[in-house]
Amino acid sequence: MIFLRVVFLLILSSLLASSQDATERWWKGNLHTHSLWSDGDDYPEMIAAWYKQQGYHFLALSDHNVLSDHERWVSIGKNRGGELAFAKYIQRFGKEWVEVREVAGEKQVRLKTLQEFRVPLEEANRFLMVQSEEITARDVHVNATNIQERILPYTGFDPKSSDGVVQAMQRSIDAVLEQRRRTGVPMFPHINHPNFKWAITAEELMRLDHYTFFEVYNGHPSVYNKGDGEHASTDRVWDIILTERLARLGKGVVFGLATDDSHHYHGEPAKLSRPGRGWVMVRAKELRVQDLIVALEAGDFYASSGVTLNEMRREKDRLSLAIEPEKGVTYTTEFIGTRRGYDATSTEVLGPHGEALRVTRRYSPDIGTVLATSRELTPSYTLQGDEIYVRARITSSKPKPNASEPGEFEQAWIQPIPGAAK
């Protein structure tokens, strides 16, 4: 009788767990977006309406060093979007919504605040706006997601000095986390586009404390995700910092985000920073900012530039995926990691005159090696016990439409599982 009761309880527990899992779903969102509040070329509610129409569930407007929480008027003809953006704005939202005035013969339009335009756009469990800021200290940029008060950038550093760059990033990170502690509101920092103007190296990223996220994919055509002959790709940077932080420095895991970093909403997409290029898929029960942040910080999400998953399980010793297939498209999944006992040597990258360049050093191929490859729709990898971490990258045979760089294929990046660090 006791045996039957135990069996019954086990079955009931399993059913409840399955029911709990079934209540969770995937939410699609972009965490890096620009509007006329800084250097974008469209009105914030126009941008948000586009993302909502395209099936996104949440959007963070992250303008440079500003929050859209105060009164601001801009010239209609002289702003980045000009008359074209204004005409579209009037057509979409109507003259009752758009506020116009004339000052010294110049026609101006008032930019709506987030609290104003979120009202007609947000819907429970359909679309959510998240207040954000791109804390911009010269070429060192740190996004603050769900920030409540503007954070001023620290600019008193030498951008050519590794110590200076680390100091600038750490100050922004610490400011976000201090605001989180003080307000009790969940928020987090992430490092933006390390290859933008080659501003940040892997060695600088690995030194940071108290951060969890960086952009492995950014849709801006000027951020060089793929690197070049002297500079490591962001994928390579990810493996270097994971290996060094987990195996040698005693620091935490870093998760990879995909974002748009969109600025341009009119014109030819290939030449501009257009929306719809990179996003995150976050698994949570409800579309609430606190639920999204809990899931993101747990690594219960994947980054994508086109590939979709039906399922993802990141267990202690196993990574299992189920890819949503598209007709005529094939998928290659690479399980990537570094094994214990790896060759930890690295060398400087030298310039044309033999000088050491301030770029990511060259590391052994032991770091970020492909541990296994699968062309199945349900790939999986079981850790053998000597992996420092394992992550996965899925590459589709489908060329990416609206690509930011030539030769892009749709991809997805699955977050790492830490393994044996010693």
Side-chain angles (χ1 to χ4, degrees), residues 155-166:
T155 56
F157 69 99
D158 180 0
K160 296 182 180 179
S161 159
S162 286
D163 288 343
V165 169
V166 171

Side-chain angles (χ1 to χ4, degrees), residues 53-359:
Q53 186 179 33
Q54 296 300 312
Y56 285 71
H57 301 107
F58 63 95
L59 176 68
L61 289 176
S62 53
D63 281 301
H64 295 281
N65 297 332
V66 67
L67 298 181
S68 55
D69 62 355
H70 55 280
E71 183 171 310
R72 175 177 288 185
W73 293 80
V74 297
S75 168
I76 292 174
K78 295 178 183 179
N79 72 54
R80 290 176 181 267
E83 296 288 352
L84 173 62
F86 182 74
K88 292 180 179 179
Y89 185 36
I90 287 284
Q91 183 178 16
R92 173 64 176 79
F93 283 93
K95 294 182 179 180
E96 297 78 12
W97 174 265
V98 179
E99 296 180 57
V100 178
R101 73 181 184 185
E102 188 169 319
V103 176
E106 179 183 73
K107 289 186 177 180
Q108 298 179 341
V109 58
R110 187 172 77 83
L111 298 182
K112 300 288 187 177
T113 67
L114 173 61
Q115 293 308 317
E116 289 176 296
F117 67 77
R118 76 189 321 164
V119 173
L121 288 166
E122 287 189 328
E123 291 184 47
N125 279 334
R126 184 183 174 193
F127 191 72
L128 174 70
M129 294 298 304
V130 182
Q131 181 167 255
S132 297
E133 176 192 353
E134 185 168 10
I135 306 168
T136 307
R138 301 186 182 182
D139 297 330
V140 176
H141 300 183
V142 177
N143 256 38
T145 298
N146 202 36
I147 192 172
Q148 301 300 296
E149 303 164 0
R150 182 169 72 112
I151 292 175
L152 295 175
Y154 170 69
T155 56
F157 69 99
D158 180 0
K160 296 182 180 179
S161 159
S162 286
D163 288 343
V165 169
V166 171
Q167 184 184 34
M169 289 189 289
Q170 194 67 61
R171 284 207 178 197
S172 293
I173 290 167
D174 292 346
V176 175
L177 298 181
E178 188 280 328
Q179 187 179 129
R180 176 173 178 162
R181 286 190 294 268
R182 177 168 49 81
T183 63
V185 175
M187 62 186 76
F188 67 87
H190 84 248
I191 306 299
N192 292 345
H193 43 58
N195 281 352
F196 173 61
K197 296 187 178 180
W198 314 115
I200 303 170
T201 69
E203 290 76 24
E204 291 153 6
L205 286 171
M206 69 177 69
R207 291 170 56 187
L208 295 173
D209 293 318
H210 314 302
Y211 93 108
T212 309
F213 303 96
F214 94 118
E215 290 178 349
V216 67
Y217 179 88
N218 178 298
H220 198 297
S222 300
V223 302
Y224 305 109
N225 298 312
K226 295 180 180 179
D228 63 14
E230 292 181 342
H231 303 86
S233 70
T234 49
D235 247 304
R236 181 63 175 160
V237 166
W238 196 9
D239 289 310
I240 293 167
I241 62 177
L242 282 169
T243 301
E244 293 291 285
R245 286 173 65 88
L246 294 172
R248 188 173 64 85
L249 300 174
K251 297 178 183 287
V253 71
V254 173
F255 296 140
L257 303 171
T259 68
D260 273 346
D261 194 3
S262 52
H263 291 70
H264 306 111
Y265 307 91
H266 321 280
E268 291 297 321
K271 300 176 183 178
L272 302 171
S273 175
R274 295 299 304 275
R277 286 175 172 162
W279 56 88
V280 289
M281 298 293 292
V282 184
R283 182 160 48 192
K285 290 183 180 180
E286 294 186 54
L287 184 60
R288 300 187 306 171
V289 67
Q290 56 266 42
D291 292 357
L292 295 173
I293 290 178
V294 166
L296 283 160
E297 293 184 330
D300 200 7
F301 74 98
Y302 65 94
S304 180
S305 65
V307 173
T308 300
L309 299 183
N310 287 325
E311 183 55 272
M312 177 189 75
R313 291 196 174 274
R314 296 172 61 255
E315 299 165 309
K316 183 178 180 180
D317 62 351
R318 187 174 177 82
L319 184 55
S320 305
L321 310 170
I323 302 167
E324 182 176 304
E326 189 173 340
K327 187 176 180 180
V329 177
T330 59
Y331 304 87
T332 300
T333 301
E334 297 167 291
F335 293 96
I336 300 167
T338 302
R339 296 188 184 278
R340 195 171 50 203
Y342 68 97
D343 178 1
T345 60
S346 64
T347 58
E348 294 177 327
V349 179
L350 302 180
H353 305 293
E355 73 279 16
L357 302 178
R358 195 188 71 78
V359 301

Side-chain angles (χ1 to χ4, degrees), residues 20-63:
Q20 186 178 24
D21 290 344
T23 63
E24 294 182 333
R25 58 165 292 187
W26 294 107
W27 306 100
K28 180 178 181 178
N30 178 39
L31 297 171
H32 191 167
T33 323
H34 296 279
S35 75
L36 281 168
W37 276 93
S38 62
D39 58 349
D41 70 2
D42 210 349
Y43 298 86
E45 59 267 52
M46 290 290 288
I47 298 165
W50 183 91
Y51 277 95
K52 182 178 181 179
Q53 186 179 33
Q54 296 300 312
Y56 285 71
H57 301 107
F58 63 95
L59 176 68
L61 289 176
S62 53
D63 281 301

